[in-house]
Amino acid sequence: NNHNNNNSQLLEKVLKSPLSSLRVPFIQQSESVLHQIQELENQQNDKDEKEEEQEDESKEELDEANSDNEQDTNNNDDSSSFSFDPMAYQMVRSKLEKTQGTIQHGVDTASSAKNLLHSLIADESQQNDLDLILYTLAIDTFYYSKLSTFDLYQILVGILPEFENQESSSCSSKEQQCLELEQQQQQPPALCPIQILERSNTIFPTKDMMPMLEDFCTHHKDCLESSQDNNSHATNNDDEGVSLPPTDISDCFGGYIAPQQVSDEKDTILRTQVYSIMDDSIALPTNLVELETKQNELNQEKARLESELQTLLGDIDEDKYGPGGLLWSIKDECYAVDAGKYTYEVCILGKATQRDRGQKSGGTNLGQWDGITISEDDPSTIEMNWKHGTKCWNGPARSTQVLISCGAETKILSADEPQTCTYVLEMESYIACNDSYKQKHGL
């Protein structure tokens, strides 16, 4: 709940910021238009359904009296008719919803950024480097956004103190005059006519940027005037005086113009004097680019091999080769170890054998392959079994158990006979290096 409250507070602050001053009215006006469109669609649907019902009635009721009644009903319907262009309103809805989505994405990003800044400012360990961190964040945001000249100018106007509303008062915050002044100061300064910022030897916008900004102001003014003319929401129904939504939306609807990325044609100065210099300063070294290219190629090859492996595993009999085809890579292998005067050998999917040292063939059958098991309680514990070997004198049939632990090489480490005719071997193998083993040993 505290987390949600904090997010709501951040969102409220973002929406009250100067840069949101044109966005909030757009959201409100666009919601009104979308609501009107929905209402019209509902009316049109009701009208269509009614006309269908009337057509059905006309087929069933052919007498003159009913025909007269039907004519009267149609006349009544005509009195409430309105002009409805579904394709035009569909385009209006699409355009408004797209811009709403862009604004919402920006609001969400701003809320997240504000949260980050609060955390940085509150972190005492960052205080010595805070100015540098904030400066770097600002530069990175500016560079990677690739904003146009006018949008960059708009941001600076909205955040730099030189552009703030300069009116001030020494009144108490409890006085009504002071409250009104505070509300006024929350409004952004006018973007047009263009204002000049001078700091030491720096002037922004530069002289070369001014023509483009002034052209934008002219376009902005014309667009706003056009938007205001149409903001009476267009036409009224001739019969009922019903207010209808506009069938076309200007780029300036609600006084809001969506931010644009830098244009090579319009933002020549910003592109050549700022972005190009930054491009060179942060360009990756050639050899690093080559390494990243190689890394991408290897990742693609890895993905291809994993896909092939997945296809192979899909055809593998898990009852025979274990979960996920665990034994597939060692399915035809035999492993041996010397212990005392004997050599113990186990063949995967085959049999286990005990021979005298130096003996190459024959020997005692210690069991036939009986399968592999993985403990449900501890998946890092893997066990292979051979059973139904040669029967001991006056005892059980011989059996062999192999306990596997993680290792780079598959090999048997030891062999023992803890009980009569029951043999236990310890083995290392990469097939046991699974995620459970990593977690168990903190790797």
Side-chain angles (χ1 to χ4, degrees):
N1 288 337
N2 290 335
H3 178 72
N4 292 335
N5 290 336
N6 291 337
N7 285 344
S8 298
Q9 293 173 2
L10 284 174
L11 181 60
E12 184 178 354
K13 289 181 179 179
V14 169
L15 292 176
K16 288 183 177 180
S17 69
L19 292 178
S20 296
S21 61
L22 295 179
R23 290 159 174 79
V24 173
F26 172 87
I27 292 294
Q28 295 171 342
Q29 293 185 32
S30 62
E31 283 295 334
S32 174
V33 171
L34 291 173
H35 177 72
Q36 284 184 302
I37 292 176
Q38 187 61 53
E39 288 294 319
L40 282 181
E41 288 181 344
N42 293 340
Q43 293 179 36
Q44 184 67 33
N45 290 336
D46 291 342
K47 179 183 177 183
D48 292 342
E49 290 178 2
K50 195 169 184 178
E51 288 178 350
E52 290 178 3
E53 292 175 358
Q54 291 172 351
E55 289 178 1
D56 293 339
E57 290 178 2
S58 65
K59 294 177 182 178
E60 298 175 358
E61 303 176 1
L62 300 177
D63 58 276
E64 186 66 26
N66 286 339
S67 297
D68 292 340
N69 291 336
E70 181 181 350
Q71 183 64 40
D72 292 340
T73 303
N74 288 335
N75 291 336
N76 291 334
D77 289 339
D78 291 340
S79 65
S80 60
S81 64
F82 53 85
S83 175
F84 183 78
D85 185 347
M87 291 302 297
Y89 285 132
Q90 184 177 353
M91 294 179 65
V92 169
R93 172 186 280 132
S94 176
K95 189 171 183 178
L96 291 178
E97 289 180 345
K98 180 179 179 181
T99 305
Q100 283 185 348
T102 300
I103 292 176
Q104 186 59 52
H105 177 73
V107 170
D108 293 340
T109 303
S111 300
S112 176
K114 203 170 186 67
N115 201 10
L116 170 64
L117 294 177
H118 284 171
S119 300
L120 285 173
I121 294 172
D123 188 351
E124 295 182 358
S125 65
Q126 301 281 3
Q127 295 308 303
N128 292 336
D129 299 322
L130 184 59
D131 288 346
L132 178 60
I133 292 173
L134 295 178
Y135 175 79
T136 303
L137 281 173
I139 293 297
D140 287 348
T141 302
F142 159 65
Y143 173 74
Y144 288 106
S145 298
K146 290 290 194 296
L147 291 174
S148 67
T149 305
F150 188 84
D151 290 313
L152 174 60
Y153 166 74
Q154 181 182 0
I155 291 176
L156 295 179
V157 168
I159 64 176
L160 295 181
E162 287 89 340
F163 294 121
E164 290 180 356
N165 292 313
Q166 298 300 319
E167 298 182 25
S168 61
S169 172
S170 59
C171 64
S172 167
S173 61
K174 296 181 180 179
E175 297 180 14
Q176 182 64 27
Q177 180 183 1
C178 192
L179 292 175
E180 293 176 355
L181 180 59
E182 287 179 355
Q183 293 177 355
Q184 179 183 354
Q185 290 175 339
Q186 288 178 354
Q187 299 300 317
L191 298 175
C192 299
I194 303 299
Q195 304 179 63
I196 305 297
L197 167 65
E198 296 186 23
R199 283 191 180 182
S200 58
N201 295 326
T202 301
I203 297 178
F204 183 86
T206 65
K207 182 178 179 180
D208 294 331
M209 293 179 179
M210 288 298 293
M212 192 282 297
L213 293 175
E214 290 172 348
D215 286 345
F216 188 93
C217 279
T218 300
H219 169 72
H220 195 198
K221 179 182 177 182
D222 294 341
C223 194
L224 281 174
E225 290 176 351
S226 174
S227 178
Q228 290 171 358
D229 290 341
N230 295 330
N231 221 14
S232 48
H233 284 182
T235 59
N236 289 328
N237 184 287
D238 292 337
D239 298 319
E240 299 293 332
V242 177
S243 178
L244 298 178
T247 55
D248 185 34
I249 295 295
S250 71
D251 293 335
C252 239
F253 178 81
Y256 172 71
I257 297 181
Q260 303 293 322
Q261 282 200 320
V262 64
S263 164
D264 289 336
E265 180 181 352
K266 297 181 180 179
D267 302 289
T268 307
I269 305 303
L270 190 62
R271 166 61 76 184
T272 58
Q273 296 185 6
V274 180
Y275 286 123
S276 295
I277 296 175
M278 297 178 71
D279 287 340
D280 295 336
S281 65
I282 68 170
L284 296 175
T286 304
N287 62 329
L288 183 56
V289 174
E290 293 175 353
L291 289 174
E292 288 184 339
T293 302
K294 184 64 176 178
Q295 182 185 37
N296 291 335
E297 293 174 353
L298 292 174
N299 286 336
Q300 292 175 2
E301 178 66 9
K302 176 184 176 184
R304 184 187 66 79
L305 292 174
E306 287 178 343
S307 177
E308 290 184 2
L309 177 61
Q310 194 62 39
T311 301
L312 290 173
L313 293 179
D315 298 332
I316 288 176
D317 183 356
E318 292 196 355
D319 291 337
K320 182 176 182 181
Y321 298 110
L326 194 63
L327 298 175
W328 180 262
S329 62
I330 59 173
K331 59 183 174 60
D332 297 320
E333 302 295 331
C334 295
Y335 303 94
V337 66
D338 293 331
K341 62 179 182 178
Y342 298 109
T343 295
Y344 295 87
E345 182 184 64
V346 293
C347 292
I348 310 301
L349 308 181
K351 69 177 182 178
T353 306
Q354 178 194 63
R355 301 187 183 94
D356 292 332
R357 279 201 182 198
Q359 187 179 352
K360 301 298 182 182
S361 60
T364 303
N365 183 353
L366 301 185
Q368 296 294 325
W369 173 256
D370 191 59
I372 182 172
T373 60
I374 299 177
S375 171
E376 293 183 0
D377 296 332
D378 182 8
S380 65
T381 301
I382 299 177
E383 176 184 312
M384 295 188 295
N385 290 283
W386 288 257
K387 295 181 179 180
H388 310 299
T390 302
K391 193 175 186 302
C392 286
W393 174 257
N394 227 3
R398 289 176 170 82
S399 63
T400 303
Q401 179 186 59
V402 176
L403 303 176
I404 311 173
S405 60
C406 175
E409 181 184 355
T410 301
K411 59 184 178 180
I412 298 178
L413 303 178
S414 64
D416 192 15
E417 187 180 359
Q419 297 179 5
T420 302
C421 297
T422 300
Y423 304 88
V424 177
L425 283 63
E426 293 184 349
M427 172 186 276
E428 278 187 354
S429 177
Y430 55 85
I431 69 171
C433 300
N434 51 30
D435 291 337
S436 297
Y437 179 85
K438 296 177 185 177
Q439 295 174 3
K440 182 176 181 180
H441 294 276
L443 301 177

